[in-house]
Amino acid sequence: MTEKEHSFNQMADSPRSNEDNFVNHSKPLRADAKQNREQILKAAQKIFAEKGLSIPISEIANQAGVGIGTIYRHFPTKEALFEAVNINYKQRLTSEAKSLMNHVDPGKAFFDLFSRVLDEGFTNRAWKDAFKRGTLISETANLGVLQDFQSAIANLLTRAQQAKAVREDIDVQDLNTLLFSLLLALEQQGDASDIDRFHRLVSIAIDGLRCKDAFNKSK
Amino acid sequence: MTEKEHSFNQMADSPRSNEDNFVNHSKPLRADAKQNREQILKAAQKIFAEKGLSIPISEIANQAGVGIGTIYRHFPTKEALFEAVNINYKQRLTSEAKSLMNHVDPGKAFFDLFSRVLDEGFTNRAWKDAFKRGTLISETANLGVLQDFQSAIANLLTRAQQAKAVREDIDVQDLNTLLFSLLLALEQQGDASDIDRFHRLVSIAIDGLRCKDAFNKSK
DNA sequence: ACATAAAAGGAACAAGTATTCCGTTTATGT
DNA sequence: ACATAAACGGAATACTTGTTCCTTTTATGT
Protein backbone atom coordinates (compact mmCIF):
# COMPACT_ATOMS: atom_id res chain seq x y z
CA MET A 1 0.00 0.00 0.00
CA THR A 2 2.11 2.82 -1.31
CA GLU A 3 -0.79 5.24 -1.23
CA LYS A 4 -0.23 8.06 1.19
CA GLU A 5 -3.84 8.91 1.89
CA HIS A 6 -4.91 10.10 5.26
CA SER A 7 -7.00 8.08 7.64
CA PHE A 8 -10.73 8.08 7.84
CA ASN A 9 -11.35 6.54 11.17
CA GLN A 10 -9.97 6.45 14.59
CA MET A 11 -11.91 9.13 16.26
CA ALA A 12 -11.94 8.13 19.90
CA ASP A 13 -14.85 5.95 20.79
CA SER A 14 -16.19 7.66 23.84
CA PRO A 15 -14.78 11.05 24.72
CA ARG A 16 -14.28 11.13 28.43
CA SER A 17 -15.97 14.42 29.12
CA ASN A 18 -17.68 16.58 26.60
CA GLU A 19 -19.17 18.62 29.39
CA ASP A 20 -17.61 22.05 29.17
CA ASN A 21 -14.49 21.11 27.29
CA PHE A 22 -15.46 23.52 24.53
CA VAL A 23 -17.20 26.86 24.54
CA ASN A 24 -20.92 26.73 25.07
CA HIS A 25 -21.61 29.41 22.51
CA SER A 26 -24.89 30.58 23.92
CA LYS A 27 -24.13 33.71 25.87
CA PRO A 28 -20.96 35.85 25.77
CA LEU A 29 -17.70 35.14 23.89
CA ARG A 30 -14.49 37.00 24.28
CA ALA A 31 -13.26 39.11 21.39
CA ASP A 32 -10.21 37.07 20.50
CA ALA A 33 -12.14 33.87 20.88
CA LYS A 34 -14.69 35.06 18.40
CA GLN A 35 -11.99 35.88 15.89
CA ASN A 36 -10.30 32.54 16.35
CA ARG A 37 -13.55 30.76 15.86
CA GLU A 38 -13.95 32.48 12.54
CA GLN A 39 -10.40 31.69 11.54
CA ILE A 40 -10.96 28.06 12.36
CA LEU A 41 -14.13 27.89 10.35
CA LYS A 42 -12.51 29.63 7.41
CA ALA A 43 -9.49 27.33 7.51
CA ALA A 44 -11.67 24.26 7.92
CA GLN A 45 -13.85 25.28 5.03
CA LYS A 46 -10.85 25.70 2.79
CA ILE A 47 -8.99 22.59 3.81
CA PHE A 48 -11.97 20.26 4.02
CA ALA A 49 -13.03 21.42 0.57
CA GLU A 50 -9.58 20.69 -0.77
CA LYS A 51 -8.70 17.51 1.01
CA GLY A 52 -11.88 16.15 2.47
CA LEU A 53 -12.69 14.93 5.93
CA SER A 54 -9.55 12.89 6.10
CA ILE A 55 -6.91 15.52 6.80
CA PRO A 56 -5.53 15.56 10.32
CA ILE A 57 -7.04 18.19 12.57
CA SER A 58 -3.56 19.56 13.08
CA GLU A 59 -3.47 20.87 9.54
CA ILE A 60 -6.54 22.90 10.12
CA ALA A 61 -4.97 24.25 13.28
CA ASN A 62 -1.90 25.30 11.31
CA GLN A 63 -3.88 26.86 8.55
CA ALA A 64 -5.96 28.75 11.06
CA GLY A 65 -2.90 29.79 13.02
CA VAL A 66 -4.16 28.37 16.29
CA GLY A 67 -3.33 25.40 18.48
CA ILE A 68 -5.14 22.09 18.39
CA GLY A 69 -6.57 22.76 21.79
CA THR A 70 -8.23 25.88 20.55
CA ILE A 71 -10.12 24.00 17.94
CA TYR A 72 -11.38 21.58 20.53
CA ARG A 73 -12.39 24.47 22.70
CA HIS A 74 -14.75 25.56 19.96
CA PHE A 75 -15.88 22.25 18.56
CA PRO A 76 -16.29 19.07 20.59
CA THR A 77 -15.10 16.74 17.83
CA LYS A 78 -13.66 16.82 14.37
CA GLU A 79 -17.03 15.62 13.24
CA ALA A 80 -18.75 18.64 14.73
CA LEU A 81 -16.38 20.98 12.98
CA PHE A 82 -16.98 19.20 9.73
CA GLU A 83 -20.68 19.59 10.13
CA ALA A 84 -20.43 23.22 11.06
CA VAL A 85 -18.68 23.78 7.77
CA ASN A 86 -20.95 21.65 5.69
CA ILE A 87 -24.18 23.03 6.87
CA ASN A 88 -23.54 26.07 4.72
CA TYR A 89 -23.33 24.07 1.54
CA LYS A 90 -26.53 22.35 2.36
CA GLN A 91 -28.40 25.53 3.03
CA ARG A 92 -27.13 27.07 -0.17
CA LEU A 93 -28.19 24.14 -2.32
CA THR A 94 -31.49 23.88 -0.53
CA SER A 95 -32.35 27.44 -1.35
CA GLU A 96 -31.38 26.85 -4.96
CA ALA A 97 -33.66 23.86 -5.00
CA LYS A 98 -36.51 25.82 -3.55
CA SER A 99 -36.20 28.55 -6.11
CA LEU A 100 -36.36 25.92 -8.83
CA MET A 101 -39.57 24.48 -7.49
CA ASN A 102 -41.71 26.95 -9.37
CA HIS A 103 -39.86 26.74 -12.66
CA VAL A 104 -42.18 26.26 -15.63
CA ASP A 105 -40.33 23.21 -16.95
CA PRO A 106 -40.22 20.59 -14.18
CA GLY A 107 -37.79 18.47 -16.16
CA LYS A 108 -35.31 21.26 -16.61
CA ALA A 109 -35.68 22.30 -13.00
CA PHE A 110 -34.90 18.80 -11.85
CA PHE A 111 -31.91 18.28 -14.07
CA ASP A 112 -30.59 21.70 -13.21
CA LEU A 113 -30.48 20.84 -9.55
CA PHE A 114 -29.03 17.46 -10.36
CA SER A 115 -26.19 19.15 -12.19
CA ARG A 116 -25.68 21.75 -9.52
CA VAL A 117 -25.22 19.15 -6.82
CA LEU A 118 -22.73 17.31 -8.96
CA ASP A 119 -20.79 20.40 -9.88
CA GLU A 120 -20.52 21.35 -6.26
CA GLY A 121 -19.19 17.91 -5.45
CA PHE A 122 -16.75 17.97 -8.29
CA THR A 123 -14.92 20.91 -6.84
CA ASN A 124 -15.67 20.48 -3.19
CA ARG A 125 -14.35 17.45 -1.50
CA ALA A 126 -16.05 18.17 1.78
CA TRP A 127 -19.38 17.98 0.05
CA LYS A 128 -18.40 14.68 -1.47
CA ASP A 129 -17.36 13.33 1.88
CA ALA A 130 -20.52 14.51 3.52
CA PHE A 131 -22.48 12.58 0.96
CA LYS A 132 -20.20 9.65 1.44
CA ARG A 133 -20.92 9.40 5.10
CA GLY A 134 -24.59 8.96 4.54
CA THR A 135 -25.49 11.22 7.37
CA LEU A 136 -25.49 14.57 5.69
CA ILE A 137 -26.15 15.99 9.08
CA SER A 138 -26.25 14.04 12.29
CA GLU A 139 -26.70 16.70 14.91
CA THR A 140 -30.26 16.64 16.11
CA ALA A 141 -30.16 20.38 16.23
CA ASN A 142 -29.59 20.67 12.52
CA LEU A 143 -31.94 17.96 11.48
CA GLY A 144 -34.22 20.54 9.95
CA VAL A 145 -31.65 21.54 7.38
CA LEU A 146 -31.32 17.99 6.19
CA GLN A 147 -35.06 17.54 5.98
CA ASP A 148 -35.41 20.74 4.01
CA PHE A 149 -32.81 19.57 1.60
CA GLN A 150 -34.34 16.16 1.16
CA SER A 151 -37.86 17.43 0.73
CA ALA A 152 -36.81 20.05 -1.78
CA ILE A 153 -35.19 17.37 -3.86
CA ALA A 154 -38.16 15.07 -3.45
CA ASN A 155 -40.44 17.80 -4.63
CA LEU A 156 -38.43 18.48 -7.75
CA LEU A 157 -38.21 14.80 -8.52
CA THR A 158 -41.93 14.22 -8.18
CA ARG A 159 -42.83 17.15 -10.36
CA ALA A 160 -40.41 16.00 -13.04
CA GLN A 161 -41.86 12.53 -12.93
CA GLN A 162 -45.40 13.81 -13.22
CA ALA A 163 -44.31 15.79 -16.25
CA LYS A 164 -42.98 12.56 -17.77
CA ALA A 165 -39.49 14.00 -17.84
CA VAL A 166 -37.98 11.46 -15.48
CA ARG A 167 -38.55 7.72 -15.27
CA GLU A 168 -41.10 6.87 -12.66
CA ASP A 169 -39.58 3.81 -11.06
CA ILE A 170 -37.07 5.69 -8.94
CA ASP A 171 -37.37 7.41 -5.60
CA VAL A 172 -35.41 10.05 -3.71
CA GLN A 173 -33.26 7.40 -2.16
CA ASP A 174 -32.24 6.14 -5.57
CA LEU A 175 -31.41 9.65 -6.56
CA ASN A 176 -29.34 10.11 -3.49
CA THR A 177 -27.42 6.98 -4.18
CA LEU A 178 -26.90 7.92 -7.79
CA LEU A 179 -25.58 11.35 -6.87
CA PHE A 180 -23.34 9.81 -4.31
CA SER A 181 -21.94 7.30 -6.71
CA LEU A 182 -21.17 9.87 -9.36
CA LEU A 183 -19.51 12.13 -6.86
CA LEU A 184 -17.23 9.35 -5.81
CA ALA A 185 -16.55 8.19 -9.31
CA LEU A 186 -13.62 10.41 -9.99
CA GLU A 187 -12.04 10.12 -6.60
CA GLN A 188 -9.99 7.21 -7.86
CA GLN A 189 -8.10 7.27 -11.17
CA GLY A 190 -5.16 9.65 -10.84
CA ASP A 191 -6.41 12.87 -12.37
CA ALA A 192 -9.50 13.77 -10.42
CA SER A 193 -9.47 16.95 -12.42
CA ASP A 194 -10.68 15.40 -15.61
CA ILE A 195 -13.79 17.47 -16.01
CA ASP A 196 -14.55 16.13 -19.45
CA ARG A 197 -14.79 12.62 -18.22
CA PHE A 198 -16.96 13.78 -15.40
CA HIS A 199 -19.35 15.51 -17.75
CA ARG A 200 -19.60 12.43 -19.89
CA LEU A 201 -20.59 10.39 -16.85
CA VAL A 202 -23.15 12.94 -15.80
CA SER A 203 -24.52 12.89 -19.29
CA ILE A 204 -24.91 9.12 -19.15
CA ALA A 205 -26.75 9.41 -15.87
CA ILE A 206 -29.05 12.10 -17.15
CA ASP A 207 -29.91 10.16 -20.27
CA GLY A 208 -30.52 7.12 -18.13
CA LEU A 209 -32.86 9.04 -15.89
CA ARG A 210 -35.00 10.33 -18.71
CA CYS A 211 -38.45 8.92 -19.15
CA LYS A 212 -38.53 6.38 -21.94
CA ASP A 213 -42.23 6.96 -22.54
CA ALA A 214 -43.29 4.12 -24.77
CA PHE A 215 -40.54 3.19 -27.22
CA ASN A 216 -38.33 1.02 -25.03
CA LYS A 217 -35.95 -0.97 -27.09
CA SER A 218 -36.56 -4.59 -26.22
CA LYS A 219 -33.96 -6.20 -24.08
CA MET B 1 -17.94 9.56 14.38
CA THR B 2 -19.72 6.68 15.95
CA GLU B 3 -19.12 4.47 12.96
CA LYS B 4 -17.05 1.41 13.76
CA GLU B 5 -15.53 0.79 10.35
CA HIS B 6 -12.08 -0.61 10.05
CA SER B 7 -9.09 1.30 8.80
CA PHE B 8 -7.94 1.54 5.24
CA ASN B 9 -4.47 2.80 5.66
CA GLN B 10 -1.50 2.50 7.85
CA MET B 11 0.46 -0.19 6.20
CA ALA B 12 4.03 0.53 7.23
CA ASP B 13 5.81 2.86 4.89
CA SER B 14 8.92 0.92 4.14
CA PRO B 15 9.17 -2.63 5.45
CA ARG B 16 12.61 -3.09 6.87
CA SER B 17 13.48 -6.37 5.25
CA ASN B 18 11.33 -8.27 2.87
CA GLU B 19 14.23 -10.50 1.98
CA ASP B 20 13.37 -13.92 3.28
CA ASN B 21 10.80 -12.94 5.80
CA PHE B 22 8.23 -15.02 3.98
CA VAL B 23 8.47 -18.27 2.07
CA ASN B 24 10.01 -18.02 -1.34
CA HIS B 25 7.54 -20.40 -2.89
CA SER B 26 9.69 -21.57 -5.75
CA LYS B 27 11.06 -24.95 -4.73
CA PRO B 28 9.93 -27.22 -1.86
CA LEU B 29 7.35 -26.41 0.86
CA ARG B 30 6.75 -28.48 3.90
CA ALA B 31 3.46 -30.36 4.18
CA ASP B 32 1.96 -28.37 7.02
CA ALA B 33 3.12 -25.14 5.46
CA LYS B 34 1.30 -25.95 2.28
CA GLN B 35 -1.88 -26.70 4.16
CA ASN B 36 -1.66 -23.51 6.17
CA ARG B 37 -1.11 -21.54 3.03
CA GLU B 38 -4.33 -22.91 1.66
CA GLN B 39 -6.18 -22.22 4.88
CA ILE B 40 -4.97 -18.66 4.79
CA LEU B 41 -6.06 -18.14 1.23
CA LYS B 42 -9.42 -19.68 1.90
CA ALA B 43 -9.97 -17.55 4.97
CA ALA B 44 -8.77 -14.43 3.21
CA GLN B 45 -11.04 -15.09 0.29
CA LYS B 46 -14.02 -15.44 2.56
CA ILE B 47 -13.30 -12.52 4.82
CA PHE B 48 -12.15 -10.10 2.18
CA ALA B 49 -15.26 -10.88 0.18
CA GLU B 50 -17.43 -10.21 3.19
CA LYS B 51 -15.72 -7.26 4.75
CA GLY B 52 -13.37 -5.88 2.16
CA LEU B 53 -9.75 -4.93 2.36
CA SER B 54 -10.28 -3.08 5.57
CA ILE B 55 -10.49 -5.90 8.09
CA PRO B 56 -7.47 -6.30 10.35
CA ILE B 57 -5.08 -9.03 9.33
CA SER B 58 -5.60 -10.61 12.71
CA GLU B 59 -9.13 -11.59 11.78
CA ILE B 60 -7.91 -13.50 8.83
CA ALA B 61 -5.40 -15.22 11.07
CA ASN B 62 -8.18 -16.23 13.43
CA GLN B 63 -10.44 -17.45 10.69
CA ALA B 64 -7.59 -19.45 9.21
CA GLY B 65 -6.62 -20.83 12.59
CA VAL B 66 -3.03 -19.64 12.33
CA GLY B 67 -0.93 -16.91 13.92
CA ILE B 68 -0.27 -13.54 12.39
CA GLY B 69 3.34 -14.45 11.86
CA THR B 70 2.34 -17.37 9.72
CA ILE B 71 0.46 -15.15 7.36
CA TYR B 72 3.47 -12.93 6.97
CA ARG B 73 5.62 -15.93 6.35
CA HIS B 74 3.54 -16.66 3.30
CA PHE B 75 2.72 -13.20 2.07
CA PRO B 76 5.03 -10.21 2.42
CA THR B 77 2.24 -7.69 3.03
CA LYS B 78 -1.49 -7.51 3.51
CA GLU B 79 -1.60 -6.05 0.06
CA ALA B 80 0.07 -9.11 -1.43
CA LEU B 81 -2.43 -11.39 0.23
CA PHE B 82 -5.26 -9.30 -1.07
CA GLU B 83 -3.91 -9.54 -4.56
CA ALA B 84 -3.35 -13.24 -4.34
CA VAL B 85 -7.02 -13.57 -3.56
CA ASN B 86 -8.27 -11.14 -6.13
CA ILE B 87 -6.37 -12.44 -9.06
CA ASN B 88 -8.83 -15.28 -9.27
CA TYR B 89 -11.81 -13.02 -9.73
CA LYS B 90 -10.04 -11.18 -12.47
CA GLN B 91 -9.13 -14.30 -14.34
CA ARG B 92 -12.65 -15.61 -14.10
CA LEU B 93 -14.22 -12.44 -15.42
CA THR B 94 -11.61 -12.11 -18.10
CA SER B 95 -12.40 -15.52 -19.46
CA GLU B 96 -16.08 -14.67 -19.42
CA ALA B 97 -15.31 -11.52 -21.34
CA LYS B 98 -13.29 -13.44 -23.89
CA SER B 99 -16.01 -15.93 -24.50
CA LEU B 100 -18.40 -13.05 -25.13
CA MET B 101 -16.16 -11.53 -27.75
CA ASN B 102 -17.57 -13.66 -30.51
CA HIS B 103 -21.19 -13.30 -29.58
CA VAL B 104 -23.42 -12.41 -32.51
CA ASP B 105 -24.96 -9.40 -30.82
CA PRO B 106 -22.15 -7.05 -29.78
CA GLY B 107 -24.56 -4.92 -27.82
CA LYS B 108 -25.84 -7.81 -25.78
CA ALA B 109 -22.35 -9.14 -25.28
CA PHE B 110 -21.21 -5.81 -23.93
CA PHE B 111 -24.12 -5.29 -21.59
CA ASP B 112 -23.87 -8.85 -20.37
CA LEU B 113 -20.32 -8.32 -19.24
CA PHE B 114 -21.27 -4.99 -17.79
CA SER B 115 -23.90 -6.68 -15.68
CA ARG B 116 -21.64 -9.53 -14.70
CA VAL B 117 -19.00 -7.22 -13.34
CA LEU B 118 -21.60 -5.36 -11.36
CA ASP B 119 -23.21 -8.48 -10.00
CA GLU B 120 -19.87 -9.76 -8.86
CA GLY B 121 -19.20 -6.51 -7.09
CA PHE B 122 -22.60 -6.48 -5.48
CA THR B 123 -21.88 -9.65 -3.59
CA ASN B 124 -18.12 -9.49 -3.31
CA ARG B 125 -16.65 -6.69 -1.38
CA ALA B 126 -13.08 -7.59 -2.20
CA TRP B 127 -13.85 -7.05 -5.85
CA LYS B 128 -15.32 -3.68 -5.06
CA ASP B 129 -12.28 -2.70 -3.06
CA ALA B 130 -9.94 -3.86 -5.78
CA PHE B 131 -11.75 -1.58 -8.18
CA LYS B 132 -11.68 1.16 -5.64
CA ARG B 133 -7.94 1.10 -5.37
CA GLY B 134 -7.49 1.78 -9.02
CA THR B 135 -4.69 -0.69 -9.25
CA LEU B 136 -6.50 -3.89 -9.93
CA ILE B 137 -3.15 -5.55 -9.84
CA SER B 138 0.12 -3.94 -8.95
CA GLU B 139 2.54 -6.82 -8.95
CA THR B 140 4.64 -6.67 -12.06
CA ALA B 141 4.41 -10.40 -12.24
CA ASN B 142 0.66 -10.32 -12.65
CA LEU B 143 0.52 -7.36 -14.94
CA GLY B 144 -0.56 -9.60 -17.76
CA VAL B 145 -3.79 -10.51 -16.04
CA LEU B 146 -4.75 -6.89 -15.72
CA GLN B 147 -3.94 -6.19 -19.33
CA ASP B 148 -5.98 -9.16 -20.46
CA PHE B 149 -8.90 -7.92 -18.47
CA GLN B 150 -8.67 -4.38 -19.77
CA SER B 151 -8.23 -5.38 -23.36
CA ALA B 152 -11.12 -7.83 -23.22
CA ILE B 153 -13.36 -5.07 -21.99
CA ALA B 154 -12.01 -2.63 -24.53
CA ASN B 155 -12.73 -5.10 -27.27
CA LEU B 156 -16.31 -5.62 -26.21
CA LEU B 157 -16.85 -1.90 -25.89
CA THR B 158 -15.49 -1.12 -29.32
CA ARG B 159 -17.54 -3.79 -31.00
CA ALA B 160 -20.68 -2.55 -29.29
CA GLN B 161 -19.96 0.97 -30.35
CA GLN B 162 -19.38 -0.05 -33.94
CA ALA B 163 -22.71 -1.81 -33.85
CA LYS B 164 -24.30 1.44 -32.70
CA ALA B 165 -25.42 -0.22 -29.48
CA VAL B 166 -23.38 2.02 -27.19
CA ARG B 167 -22.77 5.75 -27.39
CA GLU B 168 -19.52 6.52 -29.09
CA ASP B 169 -18.18 9.34 -26.95
CA ILE B 170 -16.95 7.12 -24.15
CA ASP B 171 -13.77 5.14 -23.71
CA VAL B 172 -12.64 2.23 -21.55
CA GLN B 173 -11.55 4.58 -18.86
CA ASP B 174 -15.03 6.07 -18.69
CA LEU B 175 -16.44 2.63 -18.45
CA ASN B 176 -14.08 1.74 -15.68
CA THR B 177 -15.05 4.80 -13.75
CA LEU B 178 -18.71 4.15 -14.28
CA LEU B 179 -18.42 0.57 -13.08
CA PHE B 180 -16.45 1.70 -10.13
CA SER B 181 -18.96 4.31 -9.18
CA LEU B 182 -21.88 1.95 -9.36
CA LEU B 183 -20.06 -0.63 -7.32
CA LEU B 184 -19.52 1.90 -4.61
CA ALA B 185 -23.01 3.26 -4.80
CA LEU B 186 -24.55 0.96 -2.31
CA GLU B 187 -21.70 0.93 0.13
CA GLN B 188 -23.33 3.78 2.01
CA GLN B 189 -26.99 3.80 3.07
CA GLY B 190 -27.59 1.16 5.71
CA ASP B 191 -28.98 -1.77 3.79
CA ALA B 192 -26.30 -2.62 1.28
CA SER B 193 -28.44 -5.60 0.49
CA ASP B 194 -31.07 -3.70 -1.39
CA ILE B 195 -30.75 -5.49 -4.66
CA ASP B 196 -33.77 -3.82 -6.17
CA ARG B 197 -32.30 -0.41 -5.79
CA PHE B 198 -29.08 -1.68 -7.22
CA HIS B 199 -30.81 -3.02 -10.29
CA ARG B 200 -32.59 0.26 -10.81
CA LEU B 201 -29.28 2.06 -10.77
CA VAL B 202 -27.75 -0.37 -13.18
CA SER B 203 -30.73 0.07 -15.42
CA ILE B 204 -30.24 3.82 -15.43
CA ALA B 205 -26.62 3.37 -16.36
CA ILE B 206 -27.41 0.96 -19.14
CA ASP B 207 -30.05 3.22 -20.60
CA GLY B 208 -27.64 6.08 -20.39
CA LEU B 209 -24.98 4.13 -22.21
CA ARG B 210 -27.21 3.23 -25.13
CA CYS B 211 -26.58 4.90 -28.42
CA LYS B 212 -29.11 7.67 -29.02
CA ASP B 213 -28.72 7.33 -32.78
CA ALA B 214 -30.45 10.37 -34.17
CA PHE B 215 -33.50 11.23 -32.10
CA ASN B 216 -31.91 13.09 -29.22
CA LYS B 217 -34.45 14.99 -27.29
CA SER B 218 -33.31 18.59 -27.32
CA LYS B 219 -31.88 19.83 -24.10
C1' DA C 1 14.43 -42.00 17.69
C1' DC C 2 17.23 -37.84 16.47
C1' DA C 3 19.03 -33.83 14.56
C1' DT C 4 17.89 -29.92 12.32
C1' DA C 5 15.99 -26.78 9.28
C1' DA C 6 11.41 -25.14 8.38
C1' DA C 7 7.45 -23.23 10.15
C1' DA C 8 4.40 -21.32 13.61
C1' DG C 9 2.91 -17.91 16.96
C1' DG C 10 2.18 -13.92 19.03
C1' DA C 11 4.17 -10.29 21.95
C1' DA C 12 6.44 -6.12 20.92
C1' DC C 13 7.13 -2.32 17.86
C1' DA C 14 6.06 1.50 14.67
C1' DA C 15 3.12 4.95 13.05
C1' DG C 16 -0.85 7.83 12.41
C1' DT C 17 -3.99 10.78 14.47
C1' DA C 18 -8.23 12.12 17.42
C1' DT C 19 -8.81 13.97 21.94
C1' DT C 20 -7.52 15.44 26.65
C1' DC C 21 -5.09 17.95 30.19
C1' DC C 22 -3.04 21.46 32.32
C1' DG C 23 0.33 25.14 32.76
C1' DT C 24 0.70 29.75 30.42
C1' DT C 25 -1.08 33.85 28.21
C1' DT C 26 -4.52 37.43 27.52
C1' DA C 27 -8.88 40.14 27.32
C1' DT C 28 -11.82 42.70 30.10
C1' DG C 29 -13.99 45.22 33.91
C1' DT C 30 -12.83 47.90 37.73
C1' DA D 1 -2.52 48.85 36.61
C1' DC D 2 -4.72 44.59 38.56
C1' DA D 3 -7.29 40.62 39.30
C1' DT D 4 -9.34 36.97 37.29
C1' DA D 5 -11.91 34.23 34.39
C1' DA D 6 -11.51 33.03 29.62
C1' DA D 7 -8.87 31.31 26.10
C1' DC D 8 -4.72 29.30 24.23
C1' DG D 9 -1.14 25.93 22.96
C1' DG D 10 0.69 21.76 22.33
C1' DA D 11 2.84 17.81 24.68
C1' DA D 12 0.99 13.69 26.39
C1' DT D 13 -2.44 10.10 25.98
C1' DA D 14 -5.21 6.54 23.85
C1' DC D 15 -6.10 3.39 20.58
C1' DT D 16 -5.93 1.01 16.18
C1' DT D 17 -3.61 -1.90 13.17
C1' DG D 18 0.35 -3.32 9.86
C1' DT D 19 4.80 -5.56 10.31
C1' DT D 20 8.87 -7.49 12.59
C1' DC D 21 11.47 -10.39 15.76
C1' DC D 22 12.58 -14.09 18.26
C1' DT D 23 11.27 -18.18 20.95
C1' DT D 24 8.95 -22.55 20.68
C1' DT D 25 7.06 -26.29 17.99
C1' DT D 26 7.11 -29.61 14.27
C1' DA D 27 7.98 -32.13 9.84
C1' DT D 28 11.22 -34.77 7.57
C1' DG D 29 15.28 -37.53 6.26
C1' DT D 30 18.50 -40.65 8.18
Side-chain angles (χ1 to χ4, degrees), chain A:
Chain A
M1 190 169 265
T2 47
E3 191 80 14
K4 263 284 195 177
E5 272 297 317
H6 298 284
S7 174
F8 280 116
N9 53 345
Q10 214 155 339
M11 304 197 185
D13 259 301
S14 50
R16 266 160 290 194
S17 79
N18 264 350
E19 284 312 305
D20 55 2
N21 193 34
F22 61 101
V23 298
N24 179 0
H25 38 115
S26 55
K27 302 303 158 57
L29 202 51
R30 222 169 72 178
D32 58 341
K34 190 176 165 194
Q35 195 179 43
N36 275 333
R37 185 171 225 283
E38 278 159 19
Q39 287 301 307
I40 291 169
L41 275 170
K42 198 196 296 182
Q45 175 146 13
K46 179 182 173 193
I47 297 205
F48 278 145
E50 279 172 11
K51 313 280 189 68
L53 175 55
S54 58
I55 36 87
I57 211 83
S58 56
E59 283 199 28
I60 292 176
N62 286 155
Q63 174 76 214
V66 303
I68 298 171
T70 303
I71 290 185
Y72 278 90
R73 163 163 287 274
H74 288 281
F75 303 93
T77 62
K78 185 188 189 183
E79 186 78 352
L81 174 58
F82 185 69
E83 253 171 36
V85 166
N86 268 82
I87 200 162
N88 292 325
Y89 302 135
K90 275 156 225 149
Q91 287 174 325
R92 180 148 45 82
L93 280 171
T94 301
S95 75
E96 286 188 38
K98 281 183 176 168
S99 76
L100 282 168
M101 276 174 25
N102 297 312
H103 196 289
V104 281
D105 181 345
K108 184 170 187 337
F110 172 79
F111 286 118
D112 274 0
L113 181 70
F114 190 79
S115 299
R116 272 294 293 121
V117 171
L118 290 172
D119 283 345
E120 183 73 39
F122 186 72
T123 51
N124 184 337
R125 205 167 154 170
W127 179 247
K128 246 184 298 194
D129 280 351
F131 244 92
K132 183 147 73 187
R133 330 202 53 252
T135 64
L136 288 187
I137 293 178
S138 62
E139 297 293 308
T140 318
N142 300 121
L143 189 57
V145 179
L146 174 58
Q147 288 175 335
D148 276 5
F149 185 64
Q150 294 284 6
S151 67
I153 289 183
N155 184 298
L156 284 171
L157 173 62
T158 305
R159 291 220 313 144
Q161 286 174 320
Q162 287 169 344
K164 299 290 181 199
V166 169
R167 47 154 68 196
E168 279 177 325
D169 60 341
I170 66 167
D171 59 22
V172 200
Q173 181 66 274
D174 289 333
L175 197 60
N176 219 53
T177 308
L178 182 59
L179 286 170
F180 163 76
S181 93
L182 289 171
L183 286 175
L184 253 60
L186 293 193
E187 201 129 312
Q188 55 157 189
Q189 324 285 15
D191 33 34
S193 58
D194 191 342
I195 195 164
D196 287 334
R197 193 180 306 290
F198 184 64
H199 284 328
R200 253 172 285 148
L201 287 182
V202 172
S203 159
I204 290 172
I206 287 179
D207 282 349
L209 281 171
R210 289 222 163 84
C211 193
K212 302 305 173 305
D213 285 309
F215 49 74
N216 255 328
K217 295 185 180 182
S218 72
K219 188 189 175 194

Side-chain angles (χ1 to χ4, degrees), chain B residues 151-171:
Chain B
S151 67
I153 288 183
N155 185 298
L156 284 172
L157 173 61
T158 305
R159 290 219 313 145
Q161 286 174 319
Q162 285 168 346
K164 300 288 181 200
V166 169
R167 46 154 69 196
E168 281 178 321
D169 61 339
I170 67 167
D171 59 21

